[in-house]
């Protein structure tokens, strides 16, 4: 709004005002969507707000600095720098063990920069042209340092860490309910699905979203930037496939999938795109992802899956803790659960590399035809 007011007397074709409307519209629309949307929301979606914020901040800084001789502009810039420093400190207080030296530095530098901008004419009144430029440059550099200190350190720490899974996390990490995820997915009647391990799991069950990939620790960047890696969490344990991560399939199962692979349209079918991705990337053969990303889409339906099996187009069905999908948690179709139940009722399970699989190419204990 300030930028629009500053350009109110500009020509109708003003590029500055056009850019303010472009970036401002992006920020307002995206912010409203994120504020009002319902259902699944991940914190990394907020990255869509970064371009408009960066553009508007840069434009505001350029316009403000060009008009720093005006008292009202200096008051606005001084207040912005001070508010930024206080807000950065409040955000850092949510992660008190992450680079604690940043808080006093940002607050101290912010106070100095804010006062320097506010009293810039007074400070430089008795100085010559060269020293005046140096003082103005120092005030500008200190202000930029306050604005970028925490994002810069966070960016370095994030880039220095290995990340895995479908939910990337930037530094600093805040350990609250929004980042730690919920508990294991359960079947509607209670209990977990299929006690057998997933093909990428070093244990049983489905870890909570955000847990089980990596633990807390210092990264290769080392102190003071080190933090937790990837989607790590205090749960420790093992890199699983499942809803939010993709792991490396064991060699024995890979060999089974690759055996006579050319005879099948899909060497395997499993619930969820990340489960399927792990199998497909490891075997380099096509794998059907039942139910889409989280197993709750009606694709394929039970009838369609039965038709594929009847035509001999799928070799294995790979089970796991989430084989019946997550319909009970996030809404959607029960197709994955129906397919899982039908496979269990009509085919004999076997274990390959510690993973429960069903050979759909062999004779079933029941009828293969749609029912």
């Amino acid at each position: 709004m300030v930028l629009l007011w500053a350009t109110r007397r500009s020509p109708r074709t003003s590029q500055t005002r056009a850019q303010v409307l472009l970036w401002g519209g992006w920020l307002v629309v995206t912010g409203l969507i994120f504020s009002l949307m319902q259902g699944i929301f991940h914190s990394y979606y907020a990255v869509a707000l970064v371009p408009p914020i960066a553009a508007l901040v840069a434009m505001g800084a350029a316009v403000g600095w060009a008009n720093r001789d005006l008292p009202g502009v200096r008051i606005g810039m001084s207040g912005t720098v001070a508010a930024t420093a206080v807000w950065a400190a409040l955000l850092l207080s949510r992660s008190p063990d992450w680079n604690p030296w940043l808080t006093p530095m940002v607050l101290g530098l912010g106070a100095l920069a804010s006062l320097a901008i506010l009293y810039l004419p007074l400070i430089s009144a008795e100085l010559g042209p060269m020293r005046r430029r140096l003082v103005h440059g120092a005030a500008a550099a200190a202000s930029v340092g306050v604005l970028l200190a925490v994002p810069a350190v966070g960016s370095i720490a994030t880039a220095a860490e290995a990340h895995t899974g479908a939910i990337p996390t930037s530094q600093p990490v805040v350990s609250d309910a929004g980042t730690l995820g919920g508990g294991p997915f359960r079947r509607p009647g209670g209990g977990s699905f299929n006690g057998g391990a997933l093909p990428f799991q070093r244990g049983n069950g489905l870890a909570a979203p955000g847990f089980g990939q990596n633990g807390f620790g210092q990264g290769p960047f080392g102190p003071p930037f080190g933090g937790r890696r990837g989607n790590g969490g205090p749960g420790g344990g093992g890199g699983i496939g499942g809803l939010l991560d993709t792991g490396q399939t064991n060699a024995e199962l890979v060999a089974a999938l690759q055996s006579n692979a050319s005879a099948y349209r899909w060497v395997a079918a499993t619930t969820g795109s990340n489960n399927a991705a792990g199998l497909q990337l490891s075997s380099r053969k096509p794998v059907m992802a039942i139910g889409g990303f989280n197993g709750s889409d009606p694709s394929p339906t039970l009838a369609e899956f039965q038709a594929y099996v009847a035509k001999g187009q799928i070799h294995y069905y790979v089970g796991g803790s989430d084989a019946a999908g997550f319909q009970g948690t996030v809404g959607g179709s029960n197709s994955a659960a129906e397919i899982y139940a039908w496979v269990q009722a009509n085919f004999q399970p076997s274990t390959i590399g510690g993973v429960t699989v069903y050979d759909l190419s062999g004779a079933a204990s029941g009828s293969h035809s749609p029912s």
Side-chain angles (χ1 to χ4, degrees), residues 135-278:
V135 170
H136 285 212
S143 301
V144 171
V146 172
L147 293 172
L148 298 183
V150 176
V153 174
S155 297
I156 294 173
T158 302
E161 293 287 351
H163 290 74
T164 61
I167 308 295
T169 304
S170 60
Q171 300 284 352
V173 174
V174 179
S175 298
D176 58 19
T179 59
L180 295 183
F185 291 101
R186 302 289 183 180
R187 68 168 73 241
S192 61
F193 291 112
N194 189 8
L198 289 169
F200 343 99
Q201 189 175 3
R202 295 191 296 272
N204 292 328
L206 175 65
F211 280 17
Q213 288 85 33
N214 290 294
F216 288 92
Q218 297 292 329
F221 193 87
F225 300 102
R228 100 176 164 181
R229 304 174 181 174
N231 299 334
I240 69 168
L243 177 62
L244 301 178
D245 195 21
T246 298
Q248 184 71 26
T249 308
N250 65 72
E252 188 177 351
L253 181 56
V254 169
L257 297 179
Q258 292 175 337
S259 177
N260 198 28
S262 61
Y264 302 95
R265 182 176 177 182
W266 297 281
V267 297
T270 191
T271 299
S273 60
N274 274 323
N275 283 336

Side-chain angles (χ1 to χ4, degrees), residues 128 131 186 192 196 276 291 294 305 317 324 334:
R131 291 185 176 180
R186 302 289 183 180
S192 61
N294 60 12
F305 187 84
Y317 177 92
N334 280 316

